[in-house]
Amino acid sequence: MKIDNFTSEERLIAAKVQMQKQSPFFSYLIAHLALVKDDNISTMAVNGHGTLYYNDKFVDSMTTDELKAALIHEVMHLVFEHNVRCKNRDKFIYNVAGDIVINDIIQKNGFQLFKDMLITRNNEITVFGKEVKNVDTKTSEEIYEEIYKLLKKHLKEIEDFLKNIHFSDDSAQEKGEANKELGGKVSSQGKGHESSEKTKNWKEIFVEASIFAKQRGNLPLGVGRFIDIILEEKMNWRELLQRYLINTLPVDFSYSTPHKKSISTGVYMPSI
């Protein structure tokens, strides 16, 4: 399908190219996505191999700015390892919690979300009648717990709604089928088609993207707080103390002015 003589794939590629100037961090991550057209899904889906499946009609319904946000949304599910961190939690509810965290980051960095995606306002969002505050300070697990507590109280009221979502249908994920989100247009963390492919190490890619962005002084807002969470770094106090001491050791020695002890010791020593 074409819009203004550009195919849906060309529009996605254009969005990836424009991202290079706009955000080195997100651009580095998105560069690892392979684009595959798939009319069997209604929106978009991504798997651990880095394959992004898309419906061309869905792509053509979005502006270039919205496509950038959609690409970021998909790749951040992989970076944050939401499919792994979900564990035994309800997949649908956890996906909603993950979307809230990701979309908040997308908004804070000036990208335009698609109209039907979960949008936070002033670090708050209302889901299932539950007001979640201070989104920018919480993880997807913390948001999940807040939402899940409410759902337990009103489970009968939304039971039919959850059944219609079929979020826990693994067979759909095997096909790379996109999951539905509140409002209709959502992403998924589907396993995809080519199970023989090696799953990419998104932790390493995340670190490389962070270094790449820091070198250019352009690490996105809201990303820094997830570095330790994603890498699960555990440093002992000796390593932290050593790092602190090394940073405080004087290194700016100069022989242009002698040290005041040079006369008493008879040795010409540099000053700091």
Side-chain angles (χ1 to χ4, degrees):
M1 185 174 181
K2 293 187 176 182
I3 288 185
D4 296 329
N5 298 321
F6 287 98
T7 64
S8 53
E9 181 180 12
E10 289 171 339
R11 297 189 67 235
L12 285 168
I13 293 174
K16 292 174 69 173
V17 172
Q18 290 183 24
M19 189 78 72
Q20 293 176 357
K21 290 184 178 180
Q22 195 167 354
S23 175
F25 176 81
F26 292 127
S27 174
Y28 192 94
L29 295 176
I30 293 172
H32 288 79
L33 293 177
L35 306 176
V36 176
K37 177 184 173 182
D38 190 341
D39 292 332
N40 293 319
I41 65 174
S42 57
T43 56
M44 287 183 177
V46 67
N47 62 23
H49 311 305
T51 303
L52 181 125
Y53 302 95
Y54 65 91
N55 181 294
D56 61 342
K57 292 182 179 179
F58 175 68
V59 170
D60 290 338
S61 69
M62 306 171 76
T63 66
T64 301
D65 289 336
E66 289 172 340
L67 284 177
K68 294 176 187 176
L71 290 172
I72 294 172
H73 181 100
E74 296 294 341
V75 79
M76 291 305 287
H77 271 303
L78 298 176
V79 171
F80 287 162
E81 296 185 318
H82 283 156
N83 58 330
V84 177
R85 289 166 55 190
C86 180
K87 297 182 180 179
N88 295 324
R89 299 180 178 91
D90 181 274
K91 293 183 179 180
F92 171 73
I93 302 174
Y94 188 79
N95 187 66
V96 170
D99 286 343
I100 291 173
V101 172
I102 292 173
N103 290 349
D104 184 64
I105 293 175
I106 292 174
Q107 288 178 256
K108 279 183 169 52
N109 287 279
F111 292 95
Q112 182 180 348
L113 288 170
F114 191 65
K115 61 182 179 180
D116 290 332
M117 300 182 78
L118 291 166
I119 298 176
T120 59
R121 302 186 188 282
N122 299 319
N123 292 328
E124 297 180 2
I125 189 170
T126 300
V127 185
F128 298 122
K130 170 66 177 179
E131 188 179 55
V132 181
K133 298 182 178 181
N134 302 318
V135 172
D136 61 346
T137 65
K138 297 175 181 176
T139 63
S140 53
E141 287 80 6
E142 292 172 327
I143 295 176
Y144 172 89
E145 291 301 326
E146 290 189 32
I147 299 175
Y148 187 71
K149 287 179 181 178
L150 177 77
L151 294 185
K152 287 177 67 177
K153 297 178 182 179
H154 303 279
L155 196 57
K156 291 183 179 180
E157 299 176 17
I158 62 172
E159 188 175 15
D160 293 336
F161 173 72
L162 292 176
K163 285 182 179 179
N164 292 331
I165 296 299
H166 295 299
F167 189 85
S168 299
D169 186 357
D170 291 334
S171 62
Q173 297 235 9
E174 289 291 347
K175 298 176 183 178
E177 183 176 332
N179 297 318
K180 293 182 179 180
E181 190 176 51
L182 299 180
K185 301 297 185 296
V186 161
S187 61
S188 107
Q189 307 141 47
K191 298 176 184 177
H193 303 288
E194 58 283 5
S195 58
S196 61
E197 279 193 43
K198 183 179 179 181
T199 302
K200 291 186 177 182
N201 189 331
W202 289 98
K203 284 187 179 181
E204 290 184 2
I205 296 174
F206 173 78
V207 172
E208 292 169 359
S210 299
I211 295 173
F212 184 67
K214 284 182 178 180
Q215 289 175 342
R216 287 156 180 77
N218 193 10
L219 186 67
L221 297 173
V223 171
R225 72 186 181 96
F226 288 99
I227 293 178
D228 288 343
I229 296 175
I230 294 174
L231 300 182
E232 297 178 344
E233 292 182 346
K234 296 181 180 179
M235 300 186 66
N236 60 48
W237 65 270
R238 293 180 179 84
E239 292 176 345
L240 293 173
L241 179 61
Q242 183 183 34
R243 181 185 297 179
Y244 172 78
L245 292 175
I246 290 175
N247 290 334
T248 58
L249 291 176
V251 294
D252 53 341
F253 293 101
S254 173
Y255 280 96
S256 61
T257 303
H259 194 280
K260 61 182 180 180
K261 292 184 179 180
S262 296
I263 297 176
S264 61
T265 59
V267 179
Y268 192 90
M269 296 186 295
S271 61
I272 298 174

